[in-house]
């Protein structure tokens, strides 16, 4: 009986798997570490084996799969199912991963999607965005990923780069971003750039309790910043304010673009908790118009690391309901 | 035989009408001036009469109408068919215009939509966006209207204010906008604010051939600016550059949001022609990332004043194809 949906989250550190029933209940899950020496054949075999094991745990086998969903970071040609390059998988180059995985599991239908999109679709289906029709999603990690859902569908864009919200410009002429633009929200508010701004400030002579951390560990993380913020460090406060200001501004701009019911933030940075969320809302309220009261809610994701596998499986279920 | 679609564009100056066949060919069109003393009854009767006349010109009558589409500026409750207030129609207040017009024409189905959305849908269906699936639209007039089409559908937003693209913030902390925000694209790049910036600069002592215009006419229009720009006036150039910069920036941000195939500018300002369009593209290219070549095209609208009636009729046709 074909009543199983498989969600795969092909990450830079781990490949995660979830086996779901047709109501998206998680039956079993697992992960394997991503290793730099893995070629496509090894990865596909590991994916196949792990899924078979997870299926057998719940007395199922690949024949029971209706559709497979898989999320992966770019650059990729998602509609064609091809990974152009993969962080931490240097042997991957124009690898037709979707076709290979599908073949390994009995030529089951597969949907291949950007990993920010799958995580967003997970939160939309079962997490912070549940019940909303329109949603905007940010992941605050090494970079800032983004995704938009309009009327229940992911906004994919004319060249598969819709929802690259980390590269919306909030401070024109501002900090240089890895993408070559100046003033992107990613240049201020990712976990990496938040920490980097603190490091730069200390190196430029700012007084901060974070200086000891930098001297001892040789680096500062966004977690350090929130810890020192709790202890009242003024630089930690200044850095967090700018992070929140950049995020508040991008929320105002997305309000005026697609006017979502929910703007959901996810990723390691949300561990900071209310100290960050309340400041994002503060800057949203500071910058937003006063014409009307807004219904858009700004909140944190609720599914944690499972959002990717849940979203991939939920997309697989969506696909299964559609004609070719 | 019900094979007629009616498009109505309820503007501040005129109410425009178009009678279309089921392939959206324009059979007849007309308009009546909007007058401040008109109450809802008068307006509805004028709409009914004019449509009857236009139908009879092509040997049709209200029975032949399949669906009516009507666009109107806000504030309105579009899903409920209610105009909350109307510029130039001060007697309108919470007027259930959609229901009234429908009743006047034999209780035909009616769709009621924001006028920037109807104009956008017109350009999408038969104008500059024809053939695209995803489009972003700006009208550069007294204010800046906006609209987004994703996968063939207008983005309406959770509170009917999606696509308020004139209020995306391009210069945080910048010029005060009518909406209460600072630094909106509308505060720089509408016809009104473009002209206003020139006036302010002259009043602050800027040297410009536009000073004579201001002295003679008591005001400057955006048209004056483009005329003086052609004659080499440096202030006119400076003002136009800032208009184009604000528009180029909002194009970059919409590229990273919904990544449309087409970004279409319409409204009186596009009469400036290539001198404006080429500078918008210049700033888009200046601010955009260099990671990949972009497929998004920036262009001007092609339907002129008919975009509203065409879009309203096209939406009416869309609606007709759908179950309730």
């Amino acid at each position: 009986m074909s009543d199983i949906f498989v969600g795969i989250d092909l990450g830079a550190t781990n490949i995660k798997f979830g086996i779901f029933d047709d109501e998206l209940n998680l039956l079993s899950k697992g992960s394997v570490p991503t290793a730099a020496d893995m070629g496509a054949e090894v990865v596909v075999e590991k994916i196949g084996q792990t899924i078979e094991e997870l299926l057998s745990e719940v007395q199922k086998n690949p024949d029971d799969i209706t559709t497979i969903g898989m999320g992966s970071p770019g650059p990729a040609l998602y509609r064609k199912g091809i990974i152009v390059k993969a962080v931490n998988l240097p042997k991957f180059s124009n690898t037709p991963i979707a076709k290979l995985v599908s073949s390994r599991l009995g030529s089951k239908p597969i949907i291949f999607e950007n990993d920010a999109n799958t995580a967003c679709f997970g939160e939309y289906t079962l997490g912070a965005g549940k019940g909303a029709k329109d949603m905007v999603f940010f992941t605050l990690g090494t970079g800032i990923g983004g995704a938009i859902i309009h009327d229940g569908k992911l906004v994919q864009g004319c060249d598969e780069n819709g929802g690259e919200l980390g590269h919306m410009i909030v401070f024109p002429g501002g900090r240089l971003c890895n993408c070559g633009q100046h003033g992107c929200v990613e240049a201020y508010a990712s976990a990496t750039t938040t920490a980097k701004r603190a490091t730069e400030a200390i190196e430029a002579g700012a007084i901060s309790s974070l200086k000891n951390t930098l001297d001892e560990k040789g680096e500062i993380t966004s977690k350090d910043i929130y810890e020192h913020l709790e202890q009242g460090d003024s630089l930690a406060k200044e850095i967090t304010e700018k992070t929140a200001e950049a995020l508040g501004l991008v929320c105002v701009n997305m309000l005026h673009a697609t006017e979502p019911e929910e703007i959901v933030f996810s990723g390691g940075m949300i561990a900071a908790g209310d100290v960050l969320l309340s400041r994002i809302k503060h800057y949203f309220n500071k910058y937003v118009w006063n014409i009307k009261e807004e219904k858009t809610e700004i909140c944190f994701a609720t599914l944690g690391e499972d959002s990717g596998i849940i979203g991939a499986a939920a997309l697989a279920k969506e696909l299964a309901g559609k004609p070719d």
Side-chain angles (χ1 to χ4, degrees), chain A:
Chain A
M1 212 180 99
S2 297
D3 55 359
I4 292 293
F5 295 93
V6 177
I8 308 173
D9 184 3
L10 197 62
T13 317
N14 291 293
I15 307 173
K16 300 194 205 84
F17 305 89
I19 307 297
F20 297 82
D21 68 16
D22 58 1
E23 289 177 335
L24 293 178
N25 296 302
L26 181 59
L27 305 179
S28 59
K29 66 173 182 172
S31 76
V32 297
T34 315
D37 62 349
M38 284 177 171
E41 255 179 61
V42 175
V43 168
V44 170
E45 186 49 35
K46 276 210 181 274
I47 289 175
Q49 275 178 17
T50 312
I51 289 172
E52 282 169 345
E53 286 163 22
L54 292 171
L55 285 166
S56 72
E57 279 179 24
V58 292
Q59 286 80 50
K60 297 282 182 183
N61 66 62
D63 285 349
D64 298 312
I65 298 172
T66 303
T67 313
I68 303 158
M70 180 161 57
S72 160
L77 302 168
Y78 293 102
R79 299 293 84 72
K80 292 184 178 168
I82 292 170
I83 292 180
V84 178
K85 281 185 193 175
V87 181
N88 286 15
L89 288 169
K91 289 189 176 174
F92 272 50
S93 174
N94 290 311
T95 304
I97 189 74
K99 198 174 169 193
L100 295 171
V101 169
S102 167
S103 299
R104 173 63 180 77
L105 291 162
S107 297
K108 293 293 177 178
I110 188 162
I111 187 160
F112 186 50
E113 188 53 84
N114 177 283
D115 60 347
N117 282 356
T118 49
C120 175
F121 206 76
E123 290 291 337
Y124 166 76
T125 308
L126 292 181
K130 194 174 172 182
K133 279 179 73 181
D134 297 273
M135 176 178 150
V136 162
F137 179 77
F138 293 90
T139 56
L140 309 177
T142 311
I144 294 186
I148 304 170
I149 289 176
H150 165 238
D151 205 19
K153 289 170 73 174
L154 284 163
V155 172
Q156 286 162 325
C158 71
D159 198 26
E160 304 193 2
N161 279 277
E164 278 287 358
L165 307 181
H167 300 288
M168 289 182 86
I169 295 172
V170 285
F171 299 118
R175 290 176 65 88
L176 179 63
C177 183
N178 284 333
C179 76
Q181 291 181 177
H182 285 261
C184 300
V185 61
E186 179 169 307
Y188 293 85
S190 71
T192 309
T193 55
T194 295
K196 197 175 168 197
R197 285 188 295 112
T199 305
E200 286 172 9
I202 291 166
E203 286 172 354
I207 310 279
S208 167
S209 56
L210 283 160
K211 186 171 189 313
N212 293 338
T213 311
L214 182 59
D215 289 346
E216 282 163 25
K217 298 199 305 181
E219 64 165 6
I220 291 172
T221 65
S222 59
K223 192 160 170 274
D224 295 326
I225 293 169
Y226 298 121
E227 284 172 9
H228 286 251
L229 175 61
E230 273 183 20
Q231 294 154 24
D233 181 61
S234 62
L235 178 67
K237 180 162 166 44
E238 189 186 313
I239 294 293
T240 304
E241 287 297 303
K242 198 73 182 173
T243 296
E245 186 180 12
L247 296 174
L249 272 166
V250 83
C251 285
V252 170
N253 281 346
M254 285 312 299
L255 168 78
H256 295 314
T258 63
E259 201 194 28
E261 282 173 74
E262 305 276 347
I263 299 178
V264 179
F265 288 95
S266 75
M269 288 263 283
I270 72 171
D274 194 56
V275 65
L276 179 61
L277 186 61
S278 66
R279 299 312 289 167
I280 297 172
K281 289 181 180 176
H282 166 82
Y283 283 104
F284 176 81
N285 290 325
K286 178 184 168 181
Y287 281 110
V288 80
W289 63 10
N290 50 24
I291 284 180
K292 61 187 274 290
E293 211 171 305
E294 294 304 336
K295 294 184 180 167
T296 299
E297 288 208 12
I298 299 173
C299 61
F300 280 166
T302 61
L303 299 178
E305 295 222 323
D306 283 349
S307 61
I309 55 171
I310 293 170
L315 280 169
K317 191 182 162 189
E318 279 271 304
L319 178 74
K322 301 241 172 79
D324 279 342

